[in-house]
Amino acid sequence: MDDLDSRLVAALQVNGRATWSSVAAAAGVSERTVTRRLAPLLAGGTVRVSAIPNPVLDPDLTGLVLRVRCRPGRTPPVAEALAALPEAWQVLILEGGDEIAATLWVSTPDRLKLLLLKELPKTSSIDSWQTRRLLWIFPDALGWQAPLLSAEEKARLGEVVPLPATRPLPALDEVDRRLTALLVKDGRMGFTELARHSNVSESTARRKVDALLREGAIAITTEVDPRLLGYHLEALLWLTIQPAGLGKVAKVLAAHPATRMAATTSGPSNLLVAVVCRDGEDLYELLTGTLGALPEITGVDVTPVLHVARRAGVSHSA
């Protein structure tokens, strides 16, 4: 991608549902140029806009992170099998080569028991695994934005900022679920089409989608290979934090520009943060600067990502 392509994609990362006219205003180019540049990237799958449901706001979903250790030489087929699960949102092969981190949204308790007690244990290619439940996912940290636009340019895109996480959780009705499913498939689907597929009026679809975004029930994210934008290192940070300081540390890291996802978890570590960095030096500065300034952190396990097998519903071969 050239510099203009990168800026246009960065605009969609700020607001994946922004109109072409808003993107044009932010980037300082014509609407025709925006259409000519972005339409092929979206149609070809290089850039994908979709919704991510926040499972902690849906009582029917359980968010899990599996940390799987594979037998020698069996990592790619295990990653492929995990990526094929309908529950898989993200599957990452970690840089050690024999380890996989998979994020799953599991729909029922029975399915959860089947997966953990039968399907994983019978897989001979798996040596061991750990399961961590996602206790809280920070809505403002769902998705990564390349820092290529100024604050003024971002303001022209009408970014939706979720409400504070201390509010009562909203109840989701059947229309909410239908709209969410549609936006997972196509985050840029227009309100007319959303209304038609959901059997509601266009005004209802608009009001419902706005509420889902502001309540943090979903986040619209724009997925693109970060390497195309000059960011060549992704990593997972498995952090152990003193309970009294967990909220403070999570808030700081959720707001950090390198953060792709931040979630509190069960297990030996209690905060999982996915980050996107330009290179090793960038990651080093994050660890020694941002994390080093937070004394509440008592342990850090850094696992760079070797390969993305699945992300936001799209699988990628190794």
Side-chain angles (χ1 to χ4, degrees):
M1 291 185 183
D2 62 19
D3 289 345
L4 178 55
D5 285 336
S6 297
R7 282 173 50 78
L8 295 178
V9 172
L12 286 184
Q13 289 180 317
V14 173
N15 183 355
R17 291 184 60 80
T19 63
W20 286 156
S21 60
S22 297
V23 174
V29 296
S30 70
E31 187 172 341
R32 183 175 181 180
T33 297
V34 171
T35 304
R36 178 170 55 84
R37 293 277 191 139
L38 284 181
L41 295 176
L42 290 164
T46 301
V47 177
R48 184 172 185 267
V49 180
S50 64
I52 301 175
N54 191 337
V56 298
L57 297 188
D58 189 336
D60 294 331
L61 286 179
T62 299
L64 293 179
V65 173
L66 300 180
R67 193 167 179 179
V68 179
R69 190 169 295 278
C70 303
R71 299 190 185 280
R74 301 305 299 164
T75 304
V78 172
E80 185 177 342
L82 288 170
L85 292 173
E87 296 89 354
W89 173 64
Q90 178 172 264
V91 179
L92 307 173
I93 298 177
L94 305 180
E95 204 166 86
D98 65 348
E99 197 173 9
I100 297 168
T103 306
L104 311 178
W105 306 153
V106 184
S107 58
T108 66
D110 288 341
R111 175 56 183 154
L112 179 62
K113 288 188 285 187
L114 179 64
L115 178 67
L116 297 182
L117 300 180
K118 293 186 177 181
E119 293 186 2
L120 285 176
K122 75 178 182 182
T123 306
S124 59
S125 297
I126 293 178
D127 186 46
S128 63
W129 74 90
Q130 296 178 349
T131 303
R132 291 173 170 84
R133 183 179 286 239
L134 298 175
L135 304 178
W136 181 260
I137 300 175
F138 293 85
D140 53 345
L142 274 174
W144 169 73
Q145 298 176 11
L148 302 177
L149 301 177
S150 68
E152 182 181 352
E153 289 168 336
K154 287 184 178 182
R156 296 170 185 159
L157 295 162
E159 182 181 17
V160 175
V161 178
L163 295 171
T166 55
R167 69 204 182 281
L169 302 183
L172 303 180
D173 61 24
E174 188 56 36
V175 175
D176 292 325
R177 297 182 193 282
R178 286 200 298 267
L179 290 168
T180 297
L182 291 166
L183 290 170
V184 167
K185 293 180 180 178
D186 179 6
R188 288 190 58 81
M189 184 177 290
F191 289 111
T192 300
E193 193 171 356
L194 287 169
R196 186 174 75 252
H197 288 300
S198 301
N199 297 317
V200 296
S201 67
E202 186 173 335
S203 61
T204 297
R206 185 182 299 272
R207 176 175 55 80
K208 287 276 194 180
V209 170
D210 287 345
L212 288 168
L213 289 168
R214 294 197 179 279
E215 294 287 353
I218 62 171
I220 301 295
T221 65
T222 299
E223 292 295 339
V224 62
D225 186 338
R227 293 172 297 181
L228 297 175
L229 302 178
Y231 289 77
H232 298 277
L233 179 57
E234 294 189 60
L236 298 179
L237 311 180
W238 312 79
L239 305 178
T240 304
I241 301 163
Q242 298 170 1
L246 182 56
K248 170 191 169 183
V249 173
K251 184 177 181 180
V252 170
L253 294 180
H256 195 281
T259 298
R260 178 187 285 279
M261 184 187 79
T264 55
T265 71
S266 62
S269 56
N270 52 5
L271 182 66
L272 175 60
V273 181
V275 297
V276 182
C277 301
R278 286 192 179 276
D279 48 32
E281 181 180 1
D282 200 15
L283 178 58
Y284 175 78
E285 291 177 356
L286 172 64
L287 296 174
T288 58
T290 304
L291 270 63
L294 296 168
E296 297 86 356
I297 300 176
T298 60
V300 181
D301 181 10
V302 182
T303 53
V305 174
L306 179 64
H307 173 69
V308 178
R310 184 178 179 87
R311 178 174 284 152
V314 178
S315 297
H316 308 276
S317 58

